[in-house]
Structures are given as structure tokens and as C-alpha cells.
């Protein structure tokens, strides 16, 4: 095929191969290139055997010569042995070309007593590149017991181990392609069958196979949890017993990859659901699935503590396996914790109750006596508590109604409320928060006795309510100065002391208010003002106004009764 003589040198063979290689390209005619490559390998091996008689055989050392002083005799003996081997090899090569199958060639070689030469030639061909060499090895494993304890003893063990590793590498490469196509069950069945083969049982080959499978698990995500668990069972990998195929660091990385596979399966299942039915599915929808703000707000309104715990776990797993987001083409909701309602309402309700009590106390007319003042304080506290309970019930009822139309509420809130308050749906909403605050402000405006006072009271109440609701929507974050001071000072051990200080401050404020009202009343009793009031009532003097009974007899007509002349 190369067009050279049998006595051609290796240099001539390489030069001729380079010339033919320009005519036969592997991408245009791979079969012709394979035949050319085999001819080149065979011719090069033939030339080295024929010319370098001092070199041992490429695949086998047939004998170890003894030390003989006669160098000429040694050279002649080696030449004869080498020539005999070349003749046997040439006969086997001719036999393989003339026979239609390897089974027929084996039968004729055994009849001619050339079993050794036949197997050595097969071993030489098995080391050539290409799939044909692998098929030759598999045939020899079946017919000649290669790679088993019953193989011929003249076959070199290092070469046979190299062939075994080559076969295992071919299987591993095929499994790699199947795993990329997510055919993990087919790979698992192939591993089961290969694990039962006798030639894989030696320790070095079994270790090579396990390391190859471990590399597949580390470099590929096309396997499932059942595949990983079954592989661990087949190779008896157990972390609890310390039977691992690698060190602890690599095993931890593999466990993280297993977690990524589990997360990928959960994400695929949850995202394909029509409606989330479990806390894990709801967490996946909330954190990862693209949706409008109104739909996300409606989903979050039905969350409980279990759902938020599922969100925490999913967030931790996604942050450690962020490459899965690119795999699914998803985006992670970074500020998802802003959507979680905090315990701000618990802290704001006492402040709200105190505000109600102060407003009612200021707008009432407390008695000047200590007993009357105490009764007023108790009545105001009781009324404030009742109003707080009623207000809480109304707020719950209104929240249920607002949740029913949350999509509409979100739409108008994004248009009418500043974005920093709405916060993409996690903050204030128009119907749910602003409208109740305005209603309460309008209710408190009726307690004031003038238009200016009503307006000021309504605006103050509305601003405080909106601010407090914003604080509660942030999870009790110290945004307002009052809540900030409360959170800074109100630790668990200082709660009682702070409430005592609040009550003392309320009492002092009430005393100040009573003193101011008493001064106003004294100013109203000024003589000029009193005389003017008496004239409006029909009296001419201050004495008649202060003592209407005394002046009634002097102004009474003879036919009038005392009741008819009594001043109104």
C-alpha cells in the first residue's frame, strides 16, 4: 500500500507516509486514512525489527540470553531467532488477510501450531488506534481469555493492563456522551454489566473504573439523584464507614454537586406546576419565577411561617448554586426579605393606643379634683382600648377585602404612590394601607372643636398612621423617630420601666393641660367680660346677673308669680 520495498528504512517509510498523507485526509476519507495509518504502523514496526536486530521485540521479550564470551556466536543466534519471529509474523499477517473472520484465522493458526505468533500479532494490532483495535481486544477476551487469569503467560502484563485501561476509557467516554444526553439509566445499566465482568475485578482496574466514574460525576450534571445513589451502592461508597473513592475535600465538592442536582430537579418540577401546592413550590415561584408585582403580592399574602422558612432554605441553596439560574434562564429576587411581614404591628399598637388616649384626654373636660381626674384617666384608657380592639377588627376585615383585589390595588398603587413607598409591591398599597389611614384621620377630625383644629388633627393623624404603617410594612424597621427610639430603648428587661415612664409623662401632660384650662377659665371670669355676658342675658347690673333671685322681687309686677319673673 505504501509502494516500498521490504528492506525500506524507517526514514523512507516516514517520508512516504507524509507524501500519502497529503492525498488522503482523515476528514475526507476516514476509512482510507485508517488503512494508511495501519500500513504505516506495520511497515515501521517491520523495518525496526528487520534492521535493528539488537533491539528486543516490541511486545514481548521471548528469552533472556546468557552471558557468552563469544560475541559472534551470540549475534548469529539472535539473528536466527529474530528471523524466525519475522517469518512467523509474516505468515500470521498473511493468514489474517486471507481469512474472512478472526475465528477462521484462529482455527488455522492452531492447526499450524502458531498460537503464540497469532496472539502476539493480535496484541500488536490491538495497540493501534481506532475502533477496530477495540473490537479485536473484545474478541480476544471472549475467545482467548485475554485480561483474565487464564490468558497466555507470554502476553506481557503491562501491555494487557494498558489495553484494559483503554477499554475502560472507551466505556467512560461513551457514558460521558450518554450523561450529556441525560440517559443516566442507560449508563447505570452499562455500569452494572461492566461491574460483573471478571476482567474488571482486579484492584487496579476496579480503582481505575471508580476514578473514571467519579470524574464523570464531578464534571457532568446530566445525572439524577437515583443515579448517584445507585452508583454509591454498586461501588460501596459510604461516608459513614469511611469508604470513599477520594479525599474528604473532593467528596464534599461532590456532595455539593449532588445538592445542585437535587435543586435542579426540584426547580424543574416546581416551575412546571400549574399552581404551587407545597411550601417548596411556593418558595420557588416567589423567588425565581417571573411574575407581575400584583401576582407576587397575592402569592405572598397566603404565606405562613413554613413558607418563609422554605424561602430561607431555597435562598441558601440558590446562593451556593447560582449557575443553575443560568441553566434555567431565571433571575433571583434579591430583596425578597422585604416582602416578609415583621412584628412591627406588635410594637406600634401600644403607641397607637397611647395616641388615642392622649387625644381623648386633651379634648375632654377633666375634673379639677384628684378623684375626678382618676376617673377620667380610667375612662379614657378603657375607651381607647375598646377603640383599639374595634379598629384592629376593622383592619383585619379590610385587609381580607383588600387581598381579594390585590392585583388592582397593586396597579393603582404603582401609579399613585411614590416608588420608594411601594417598593415593588412589598411596601404601602393604596387600598390596603392609605385608605384606612385616611378614614381614621377623618374620624379623629370630628373630635376637635374648630375647623383649624380639625384640619391639624386630621393631618397629624394621617401622617402618623402612614408612617407607622410604613414602619410595620418594613418589618418594624426604625424609620420613624418614635419607633427608632422605641427599638433602641425597649429591650426585654426595660419594657416595664419604659411603660412606667410613658404613664408618668402622660400624667404630667394631663396636669399641664388642666392648669392651662383653669387659667383660661379664670380669664373668662374677667369683670368686663362678665358684665358683657350679663347684658346679653337682659340684666343691667352685675349683681342682678350674679344673684337673679334677689332682683326678681323688685322687678316683679303685682300679678306675676316668682317663677314668671325668675331670670333664665
Amino acid at each position: 500500500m505504501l509502494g516500498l520495498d521490504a528492506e525500506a528504512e524507517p526514514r523512507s517509510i516516514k517520508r512516504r507516509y507524509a507524501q500519502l498523507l497529503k492525498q488522503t485526509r482523515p476528514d475526507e476519507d476516514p476509512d482510507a486514512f485508517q488503512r494508511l495509518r495501519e500500513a504505516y504502523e506495520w511497515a515501521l514496526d517491520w523495518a525496526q525489527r528487520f534492521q535493528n536486530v539488537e533491539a528486543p521485540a516490541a511486545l514481548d521479550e521471548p528469552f533472556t540470553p546468557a552471558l557468552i564470551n563469544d560475541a559472534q556466536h551470540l549475534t548469529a543466534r539472535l539473528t536466527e531467532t529474530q528471523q524466525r519471529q519475522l517469518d512467523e509474523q509474516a505468515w500470521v499477517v498473511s493468514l489474517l488477510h486471507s481469512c474472512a473472520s478472526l475465528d477462521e484465522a484462529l482455527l488455522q493458526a492452531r492447526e499450524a501450531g502458531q498460537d503464540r505468533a497469532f496472539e502476539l500479532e493480535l496484541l500488536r494490532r490491538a495497540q493501534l488506534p481506532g475502533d477496530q483495535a477495540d473490537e479485536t481486544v473484545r474478541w480476544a477476551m471472549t475467545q482467548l481469555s485475554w485480561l483474565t487469569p487464564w490468558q497466555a503467560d507470554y502476553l506481557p502484563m503491562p501491555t494487557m493492563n494498558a489495553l484494559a485501561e483503554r477499554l475502560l476509557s472507551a466505556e467512560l467516554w461513551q457514558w460521558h456522551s450518554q450523561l450529556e444526553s441525560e440517559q443516566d439509566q442507560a449508563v447505570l445499566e452499562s455500569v452494572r454489566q461492566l461491574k460483573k465482568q471478571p476482567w474488571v475485578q482486579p484492584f487496579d482496574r476496579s480503582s481505575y473504573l471508580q476514578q473514571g466514574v467519579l470524574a464523570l460525576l464531578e464534571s457532568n450534571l446530566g445525572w439524577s439523584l437515583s443515579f448517584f445513589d445507585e452508583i454509591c451502592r454498586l461501588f460501596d461508597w459510604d461516608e459513614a464507614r469511611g469508604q470513599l473513592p477520594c479525599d474528604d475535600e473532593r467528596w464534599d465538592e461532590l456532595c455539593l454537586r449532588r445538592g445542585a442536582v437535587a435543586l435542579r430537579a426540584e426547580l424543574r418540577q416546581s416551575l412546571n406546576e400549574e399552581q404551587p401546592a407545597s411550601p417548596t413550590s411556593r418558595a420557588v415561584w416567589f423567588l425565581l419565577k417571573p411574575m407581575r408585582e400584583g401576582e407576587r403580592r397575592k402569592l405572598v399574602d397566603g404565606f405562613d411561617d413554613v413558607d418563609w422558612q422554605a424561602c430561607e432554605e431555597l435562598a441558601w441553596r440558590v446562593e451556593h448554586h447560582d449557575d443553575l439560574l443560568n441553566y434555567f434562564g431565571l433571575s433571583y429576587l434579591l430583596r425578597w426579605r422585604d416582602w416578609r411581614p415583621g412584628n412591627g404591628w406588635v410594637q406600634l399598637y401600644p403607641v397607637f393606643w397611647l395616641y388615642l388616649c392622649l387625644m381623648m384626654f386633651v379634648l375632654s373636660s377633666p375634673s379639677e379634683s384628684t378623684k375626678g381626674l382618676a376617673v377620667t384617666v380610667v375612662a379614657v384608657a378603657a375607651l381607647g382600648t375598646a377603640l383599639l380592639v374595634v379598629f384592629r377588627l376593622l383592619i383585619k376585615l379590610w385587609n381580607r377585602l383588600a387581598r381579594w383585589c390585590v392585583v388592582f390595588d397593586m396597579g393603582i398603587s404603582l401609579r399613585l404612590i411614590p416608588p420608594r413607598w411601594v417598593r415593588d409591591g412589598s411596601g404601602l398599597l393604596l387600598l390596603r394601607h392609605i385608605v384606612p389611614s385616611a378614614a381614621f384621620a377623618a374620624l379623629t377630625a370630628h373630635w376637635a372643636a374648630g375647623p383649624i383644629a380639625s384640619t391639624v388633627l386630621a393631618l397629624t393623624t394621617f401622617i402618623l398612621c402612614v408612617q407607622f404603617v410604613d414602619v410595620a410594612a418594613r418589618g418594624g424597621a426604625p424609620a420613624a423617630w418614635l419607633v427608632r427610639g422605641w427599638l433602641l430603648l425597649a429591650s426585654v428587661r426595660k419594657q416595664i420601666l419604659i411603660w412606667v415612664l410613658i404613664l408618668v409623662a402622660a400624667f404630667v401632660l394631663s396636669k399641664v393641660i388642666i392648669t392651662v384650662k383653669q387659667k383660661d377659665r379664670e380669664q373668662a371670669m374677667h369683670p368686663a367680660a362678665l358684665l358683657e355676658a350679663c347684658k346679653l342675658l337682659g340684666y343691667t347690673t352685675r349683681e342682678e346677673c350674679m344673684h337673679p333671685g334677689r332682683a326678681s322681687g323688685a322687678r316683679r309686677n303685682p300679678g306675676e308669680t316668682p317663677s314668671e319673673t325668675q331670670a333664665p
Side-chain angles (χ1 to χ4, degrees), residues 321-339:
H321 305 289
D322 53 353
D323 54 336
L324 291 181
L325 299 181
N326 298 328
Y327 178 83
F328 287 100
L330 301 174
S331 59
Y332 175 62
L333 186 62
L334 295 176
R335 300 181 61 88
W336 66 269
R337 291 180 177 84
D338 294 343
W339 294 71

Side-chain angles (χ1 to χ4, degrees), residues 207 249 312 342 356 396 501 543:
S207 300
E249 184 177 357
E312 290 286 352
L356 284 176
K396 286 185 176 181
L501 294 177
E543 288 76 8

Side-chain angles (χ1 to χ4, degrees), residues 44-324:
L44 193 63
D45 182 69
W46 177 276
Q48 291 176 353
R49 288 169 180 256
F50 183 78
Q51 295 181 4
N52 190 11
V53 296
E54 298 295 337
L59 303 176
D60 183 30
E61 290 286 349
F63 62 90
T64 302
L67 296 176
I68 304 177
N69 295 329
D70 190 358
Q72 298 294 332
H73 178 68
L74 177 60
T75 305
R77 182 179 179 182
L78 288 175
T79 303
E80 294 176 0
T81 303
Q82 190 71 21
Q83 185 64 40
R84 184 177 67 255
Q85 292 179 353
L86 291 177
D87 294 341
E88 292 176 353
Q89 183 179 8
W91 183 86
V92 172
V93 170
S94 176
L95 176 65
L96 290 174
H97 282 296
S98 61
C99 294
S101 63
L102 292 177
D103 294 329
E104 181 181 354
L106 175 62
L107 181 61
Q108 295 185 18
R110 286 178 176 176
E111 291 177 354
Q114 297 295 331
D115 300 38
R116 175 191 176 94
F118 180 79
E119 290 198 43
L120 291 178
E121 176 61 22
L122 286 183
L123 183 60
R124 187 194 66 81
R125 295 192 174 196
Q127 299 177 71
L128 298 176
D131 297 336
Q132 185 65 32
D134 296 339
E135 294 297 330
T136 301
V137 174
R138 292 187 177 92
W139 178 87
M141 291 170 59
T142 305
Q143 301 297 330
L144 302 175
S145 301
W146 279 16
L147 306 180
T148 64
W150 299 276
Q151 67 181 8
D153 56 356
Y154 48 78
L155 297 175
M157 186 57 64
T159 305
M160 303 307 290
N161 290 333
L163 290 179
E165 293 181 0
R166 177 176 174 176
L167 290 179
L168 293 177
S169 299
E171 292 289 342
L172 292 171
W173 178 253
Q174 182 180 2
W175 296 345
H176 184 275
S177 301
Q178 291 177 339
L179 286 178
E180 286 184 343
S181 303
E182 298 185 358
Q183 301 177 6
D184 54 350
Q185 295 302 320
V187 175
L188 192 60
E189 183 62 27
S190 179
V191 172
R192 290 195 188 99
Q193 297 300 327
L194 184 62
K195 189 73 169 55
K196 298 177 182 179
Q197 298 295 327
W199 65 276
V200 189
Q201 302 305 320
F203 177 77
D204 53 348
R205 299 173 188 173
S206 178
S207 300
Y208 185 86
L209 177 61
Q210 293 190 40
Q211 293 301 318
V213 173
L214 180 64
L216 285 179
L217 295 176
E218 291 176 338
S219 61
N220 198 287
L221 283 177
W223 43 270
S224 60
L225 293 179
S226 59
F227 176 84
F228 181 83
D229 296 338
E230 184 63 19
I231 288 294
C232 292
R233 189 190 66 82
L234 287 175
F235 293 107
D236 200 19
W237 296 347
D238 190 355
E239 184 177 5
R241 294 182 297 174
Q243 298 180 358
L244 300 178
C246 56
D247 52 24
D248 294 340
E249 184 177 357
R250 289 184 63 188
W251 184 256
D252 293 339
E253 291 292 333
L254 185 59
C255 290
L256 288 178
R257 190 172 296 274
R258 180 186 182 277
V261 173
L263 179 59
R264 185 182 62 176
E266 293 179 8
L267 293 182
R268 180 182 291 109
Q269 179 180 0
S270 299
L271 293 174
N272 291 334
E273 294 180 357
E274 296 183 359
Q275 291 294 331
S278 62
T280 303
S281 300
R282 288 190 288 270
V284 171
W285 278 46
F286 173 57
L287 296 182
L288 302 178
K289 188 170 185 178
M291 62 178 64
R292 297 180 178 178
E293 290 82 358
E295 297 176 351
R296 197 181 302 276
R297 182 75 259 180
K298 186 176 181 179
L299 177 65
V300 172
D301 287 340
F303 275 20
D304 53 12
D305 293 339
V306 179
D307 296 315
W308 290 113
Q309 182 64 30
C311 291
E312 290 286 352
E313 296 176 357
L314 179 61
W316 184 88
R317 297 170 68 185
V318 168
E319 291 172 358
H320 285 75
H321 305 289
D322 53 353
D323 54 336
L324 291 181

Side-chain angles (χ1 to χ4, degrees), residues 531-552:
L531 182 59
E532 185 67 24
C534 290
K535 289 181 180 181
L536 292 176
L537 294 176
Y539 296 99
T540 58
T541 62
R542 181 167 177 250
E543 288 76 8
E544 293 179 359
C545 183
M546 297 299 296
H547 304 285
R550 298 179 182 177
S552 61

